[in-house]
Amino acid sequence: GALGVGLYTPDDPLVVFSADTLERSIFNSSSAWVVEFYASWCGHCIHFAPTWKALANDIQDWRPAVTLGVLDCAEASNQKICSDFGITGYPTLKFFKAFSTKPEDGVRLHHKADDIRSLTESIITSIESHRDLWPPACPPLEPISAAELHDFFHTNNVTYLALIFEKEDSFLGREVTLDMLQFENIAVRRVLKSNEELARSFNITTFPSGVLLVKNGSCSSIPVHVDSRPLYTDFLKKLPGVVRGDTFTPTVLPPVPPTTPGPWKVIDRRKLYMADVESAVLYTLRREATRYDFLEKEQLSAMKQYVAVLVKYFPGRLPIMNYLRNLDFWLRPKTNVSKSEWEEALRNKNELPNAWLPENPTWVACQGSKRGFPCGLWTLFHLLTVQEALLSPQPHTPPEVLPTMRGYVHYFFGCRQCADHFEAMAAESMNKVRNKDGSILWLWSRHNRVNARLAGTASEDPKFPKIQWPPKDLCWSCQITINGRLMWDERAILRFFKSHFSRGNIYLDFLK
Ligand code: FAD
């Protein structure tokens, strides 16, 4: 657990899964499940977490018809299960019908926007996709017919029936039905506007409208005429005799032990740490690349190019470089690689004497609650752009590292929305980069753009504010003031980068 503490706690009304609890809980369950597979380092997951928590609070009464869960795929111990579930990007939301039996039963939860409304609507639509095995705790969601209504109190042992008259595309009736499922003595059904016969018989002319029928034959209108789920729900919950049932007992799973980050490391911000860049390398190969069942075509080319660039420019320790050379040699002639071949290759490449790649990452300058891998990946690619400029005999030829990074991020970076943003920046201007120095500056300025966009947002670790980099205390001459405006001196930036990201500035401390 060097990656931190995950984004959810057992206090949220959702189930925080681990590798050994996920399948036990969601397979053969009488509840449908919606699981968010995320990575605690992924910026979009961090931004999305409050929405997922708010959703869990909003629909906690819908349990046990449907239950929410989360699994942190950044945890080393969850890597295999995330791969078994075919997770290739974060966050991924999957819906599992009640009585699902295997990972492939999960279907992607499609939703229009990352807001509670779109998500609840999408969950309802997913619940309605149950055909034979309807979750037993879930009341019917389909519109009531006149015939069904006629016999309702004979066939249902409740005191009240609330009818919600609404347009076809409204979700209000179904939401209120689910909101009331844990309450006894009441049923809720929707009636469609198109059912003119029923609308006429209750004198309904505006939609939505509600009518309350009582077993003793009385009938009154519900005094709510707006599309407001809480107003309907509050009214119904206050009816005499309507009480929360005790039928629902949440699935009690052993609490997940909180992952404790290792002891805080005192770092020198003027230095790079080999542990961070090596960790980024191992994470790309051991974690990111293994999310796919098969590497072929452009994706395989992107991986080949990445490994080849590491061999050429990564200033790593000898055993790591031996390992990478060995992997590169094996990978070059391949036209497709299955996941098991890839994993096998990663295991075998220790054959050369003095060749190895650590199993697990150790983050040093990249330590912190929401950091780790993405920080390591930026650092790695800055280092590679600089090494390319320093090592290349032809500094004025087009750069290799930048297109390699573009390919890597596009095909492998698990934070999919980060990858889309990066690809948009690359598509806009990467082809204008003519030489190796230009490549250093391009990546520096795009990284600063990302920093500017993310400053002050939830993905910011308070200990590591998203600043325009390098700050004055790291490079005094990089920033110049012209007519009172702060500007960057690109020549000074280049000088600074070539010394900051030089081999000699890398500390070997904290290596395992
Ligand atoms: P990071 O931004 O990861 O930076 C790591 C270190 O690099 C810093 O601590 C600093 O020492 C140094 N540094 C900072 N700025 C520069 C610079 N301009 N040039 C050189 N070095 C610098 N998160 C999102 O929420 N949304 C996104 O769209 C998004 N897109 C991303 C795209 C890519 C390609 C990557 C690799 C990451 C992306 N992320 C995104 C993650 C985000 O940028 C951070 O990596 C993450 O939030 C961790 O932040 P951090 O504090 O470790 O600093």
Side-chain angles (χ1 to χ4, degrees), residues 32-184:
W33 286 85
V34 198
V35 181
E36 183 206 2
F37 295 88
Y38 73 100
S40 41
W41 51 257
C42 145
H44 285 278
C45 304
I46 296 164
H47 288 284
F48 182 63
T51 305
W52 198 245
K53 288 182 192 195
L55 176 73
N57 278 292
D58 193 58
I59 66 169
Q60 55 178 316
D61 281 352
W62 297 12
R63 296 176 297 179
V66 59
T67 315
L68 298 196
V70 294
L71 182 70
D72 183 359
C73 296
E75 277 291 330
S77 54
N78 294 339
Q79 187 189 348
K80 179 168 181 309
I81 189 123
C82 289
S83 141
D84 292 347
F85 277 75
I87 305 306
T88 55
Y90 313 115
T92 294
L93 305 178
K94 286 211 168 186
F95 181 84
F96 297 86
K97 285 183 188 164
F99 309 107
S100 288
T101 54
K102 50 188 188 303
E104 302 77 60
D105 290 342
V107 289
R108 234 168 220 285
L109 187 77
H110 289 291
H111 52 285
K112 282 192 234 104
D114 281 348
D115 56 38
I116 298 191
R117 169 157 256 198
S118 310
L119 288 163
T120 45
E121 294 182 358
S122 162
I123 288 174
I124 288 175
T125 310
S126 304
I127 295 175
E128 290 178 316
S129 71
H130 283 90
R131 288 285 167 261
D132 328 324
L133 287 170
W134 188 256
C138 188
L141 297 176
E142 80 264 17
I144 197 166
S145 64
E148 217 185 328
L149 182 58
H150 186 262
D151 285 341
F152 192 82
F153 286 108
H154 295 133
T155 46
N156 290 273
N157 185 23
V158 291
T159 313
Y160 304 97
L161 170 63
L163 295 179
I164 294 181
F165 291 79
E166 62 184 351
K167 297 183 183 148
E168 277 67 9
D169 60 357
S170 160
F171 281 84
L172 176 69
R174 287 166 284 180
E175 285 170 350
V176 176
T177 305
L178 286 161
D179 282 337
M180 297 303 296
L181 82 85
Q182 292 192 29
F183 288 79
E184 290 178 347

Side-chain angles (χ1 to χ4, degrees), residues 41-47 269 365-367 370-379 382 405 409 413 415 417-419 421-422 425 443-451 453-454 457 459-461 464-470 474 497 500-501:
W41 51 257
C42 145
H44 285 278
C45 304
I46 296 164
H47 288 284
R269 287 195 308 136
C366 288
Q367 70 191 323
K370 301 162 178 171
R371 304 179 71 228
F373 178 55
C375 167
L377 194 65
W378 279 122
T379 311
H382 287 301
M405 177 175 181
V409 169
F413 192 31
C415 176
Q417 279 167 288
C418 299
H421 279 137
F422 189 77
M425 291 195 293
L443 195 57
W444 158 72
S445 65
R446 302 308 124 144
H447 189 173
N448 270 346
R449 255 206 226 171
V450 175
N451 294 343
R453 184 155 49 79
L454 298 179
T457 68
S459 66
E460 187 169 68
D461 183 323
F464 298 91
K466 298 267 196 284
I467 53 165
Q468 292 299 290
W469 200 90
L474 280 189
F497 266 62
H500 186 75
F501 292 100

